[in-house]
Amino acid sequence: MNSDPPRLIGFRTDSDSDFAFAFNDANFSDRLLRIEIVPDVCKSDEAAELGPNRKRRREEIIMSQVDDVFTNREEQILSCNMPDRDDGVAHENEDEEAVAMIEESPSGEEAADSNDSSWNMGYTAVHRVKTIHISSPILAAQSPFFFKLFSNGMRESEQRHITLRINASEEAAFMDLLNFMYSSSLTMTTPSALLDVLMAAGKYEVTSCMRYCSQLLRSKPMTRESALLYLDLPSTVLMADAVQPLTDAAKQFLVAQYKDITKFQEELLNLPLPGIEAVLSSDDLQVASEDVIYDLVLKWARAHYPMLEYRRDALGTRLCRLIRFPYMTARKLKKVLTCNDFNQELASKVVLEALFFKAEAPYRKRTLAAEDLNPSCHRFIERAYKYRPVKVVEFELPRQQCVVYLDLKREECAHIFPAGRVYSQAFHLGGQGFFLSAHCNLEQQTNCHCFGLFLGMQEKGKVSFAVDYDFSARLKPNEEYASRYKGNYTFTGGKAVGYRNLFGVPWTSLMAEDSLYFINGILHLRAELTIRK
């Protein structure tokens, strides 16, 4: 059965409706709302039991507190679901309910004098009481919460007197929310007040008010602190369509501020969980390689979850999905398998998944197609890395050898014209680190630009290393790898060797639409390296 409130005849539910004249007016009301205001419950002990470093904002505490349930003989109870707490890591099951209490008698004093034991067990002292005249059609049209309250078909839905119990910190926001349901406007529009009303609107399912608060908050200057607040709302508010533009804006603000991972690493380590998730979910980070992301996530988890049990839980449920394992180097993937911070079953799964993605084109194609159907999932989408990922196949016998595959997009090649270069991620041979670099060079003899490919050695110093190498590329029409240059070179620390004009053609011919070297917009390069005896 559909429980959404209908568009009642004679009442408008759009944003320009104005029934302010009827607010708290007995002449235009059919019910009496008795609001019992109780002191806020301290949750500090509970937070301590759930693990370290799990801070809750005041607004989240408001949303997570349980309204007291009264079981007096003269009362009927209607229970509705409250938003779940979203404190980052799932541990204990914390089911909570919001309780709307329907009275046959408007007298709160009679209830307070009751000696019934079941009453006393759930009793919380009422700080003060407010009584408001309300119109059930107006509230039901704006809120599924009130619609269900007034139309559940039970005897209490026919009662004229209704009691709601709220915490003292909710009072101002709740009263402003009631006013909004009549007038489509708010009396207080400071960021703090808007956030309070947004929380209340989420609790009582007033979508129009959530959208209104979201729009007003987005119109105000965004700061680091406000962005983190917007991302730390309870899940039922955070996931509402009406709030998505606000949370998207908060994510974009944080990504823009911390886009350079290396520059802001210390600040990133101090971000709370929603903040680090927002930043590391971006495809456009300025980061050397995915290895850097892995190290950052691990360092953040160790700082915020000192206890191994909580750290493993956080990595498994929230943090692991921030790491794009298929774009990590093979050496770093080996470290994942031996990292004690990860559950071993999870570590094996993500590494195996990454290796299949690297090695098997059909698996890679199926995986990327599946991600296209789920835009929120980016685990297999390549970031804009400073160093291009490579695929490496290693051999130990009969000689130490590796085959390195480097793919460059046409736009990446265009970007390095007229004098730029692209570096690959590091790979290893015989315990030494190497890298490939693609250059756009100016040929002195012909005065034409051309494409060059070089092999460099990372380690500096007096290390001497003799290597045979063979550079090749896929060519049309057969799309097989064809050798371009072979040679050998004895490396010393920091040296490089290569060819200034790998294809022997000008840059314009390489980049032409009918180029022999780009296949579906990709330039496929390969380097076979063998240690010389």
Side-chain angles (χ1 to χ4, degrees), residues 29-83:
S29 305
D30 63 335
R31 311 256 180 165
L32 199 63
L33 176 62
R34 185 176 188 271
I35 306 170
E36 295 183 347
I37 301 163
V38 299
D40 290 277
V41 180
C42 179
K43 292 281 184 174
S44 58
D45 293 339
E46 178 188 355
E49 292 174 0
L50 295 179
N53 298 314
R54 301 176 63 188
K55 300 177 181 178
R56 290 182 173 88
R57 295 172 13 261
R58 175 179 63 82
E59 291 83 359
E60 186 171 357
I61 294 175
I62 294 172
M63 293 294 293
S64 66
Q65 288 170 333
V66 183
D67 291 339
D68 295 308
V69 178
F70 290 77
T71 55
N72 188 268
R73 289 187 301 271
E74 298 181 351
E75 297 161 344
Q76 300 291 336
I77 306 300
L78 175 67
S79 299
C80 301
N81 290 333
M82 279 277 281

Side-chain angles (χ1 to χ4, degrees), residues 211-226:
R211 185 177 297 109
Y212 185 80
C213 292
S214 175
Q215 291 172 347
L216 285 181
L217 287 169
R218 282 165 50 209
S219 69
K220 298 181 182 297
M222 187 81 71
T223 65
R224 175 184 179 275
E225 289 70 25
S226 63

Side-chain angles (χ1 to χ4, degrees), residues 240-387:
D241 290 341
V243 184
Q244 285 299 299
L246 177 64
T247 56
D248 289 344
K251 291 176 183 178
Q252 292 168 8
F253 176 85
L254 291 174
V255 169
Q257 186 169 17
Y258 297 112
K259 188 174 183 178
D260 190 335
I261 294 293
T262 305
K263 183 178 179 181
F264 295 105
Q265 189 161 140
E266 288 304 315
E267 291 187 41
L268 285 167
L269 291 174
N270 291 323
L271 288 178
L273 180 59
I276 199 74
E277 283 184 315
V279 174
L280 298 188
S281 295
S282 172
D283 299 337
D284 302 318
L285 298 179
Q286 295 177 3
V287 58
S289 69
E290 196 65 26
D291 290 2
V292 176
I293 300 293
Y294 170 80
D295 290 335
L296 177 63
V297 168
L298 209 55
K299 192 173 181 180
W300 186 95
R302 288 168 178 171
H304 289 259
Y305 297 94
M307 291 182 62
L308 180 61
E309 177 187 359
Y310 293 122
R311 184 160 65 250
R312 281 186 173 180
D313 196 6
L315 285 166
T317 58
R318 299 287 287 272
L319 296 170
C320 189
R321 62 190 181 192
L322 303 176
I323 306 169
R324 305 185 185 184
F325 292 95
Y327 298 100
M328 289 170 56
T329 62
R331 286 171 67 89
K332 188 64 78 171
L333 287 174
K334 290 178 183 178
K335 292 184 178 181
V336 176
L337 290 174
T338 58
C339 180
N340 190 49
D341 299 82
F342 286 91
N343 175 283
Q344 288 305 301
E345 182 179 352
L346 174 63
S348 300
K349 177 180 179 296
V350 297
V351 170
L352 187 62
E353 196 176 53
L355 293 177
F356 270 117
F357 186 89
K358 288 176 178 288
E360 296 190 2
Y363 179 86
R364 184 162 56 253
K365 185 176 181 179
R366 289 196 305 271
T367 305
L368 291 173
E371 288 219 339
D372 288 339
L373 300 176
N374 184 12
S376 63
C377 185
H378 290 257
R379 292 186 305 119
F380 296 96
I381 302 299
E382 186 176 338
R383 302 185 203 263
Y385 300 111
K386 181 178 179 181
Y387 302 121

